[in-house]
Amino acid sequence: PNSMKPAIYDLLARCYFQMKDPANAILYEEMAIALGEKAIAAGEFQGTINNNTIMGYKEALEKYKAALK
């Protein structure tokens, strides 16, 4: 799974959220954040992911967590 781009996990999270499944949305958004942060540190996926991208993922994660309550 680590060969997948963080954006794929973000897309899966958004899909789960649209299907009214915030628990899986949270799971996949957390994967997107973790992989994204790791990729930035390693210099991977340059031009497709940056700190603003991670900030967007974190904002989405908060929305999904709020929907779970």
Side-chain angles (χ1 to χ4, degrees):
N2 287 343
S3 64
M4 290 179 63
K5 290 185 178 182
I8 300 298
Y9 288 118
D10 176 60
L11 177 63
L12 286 169
R14 286 187 280 145
C15 290
Y16 275 113
F17 188 71
Q18 288 295 318
M19 294 186 308
K20 309 283 190 245
D21 186 350
N24 273 314
I26 291 167
L27 174 71
Y28 283 97
E29 201 65 60
E30 287 175 340
M31 284 189 217
I33 293 167
L35 184 57
E37 289 174 339
K38 183 178 174 185
I40 289 171
E44 298 173 339
F45 307 124
Q46 292 181 3
T48 60
I49 188 166
N50 57 41
N51 288 329
N52 288 333
T53 309
I54 300 297
M55 203 165 32
Y57 292 170
K58 289 180 178 180
E59 289 170 2
L61 179 61
E62 291 308 310
K63 180 172 81 171
Y64 304 155
K65 286 181 175 180
L68 192 60
K69 296 178 182 180

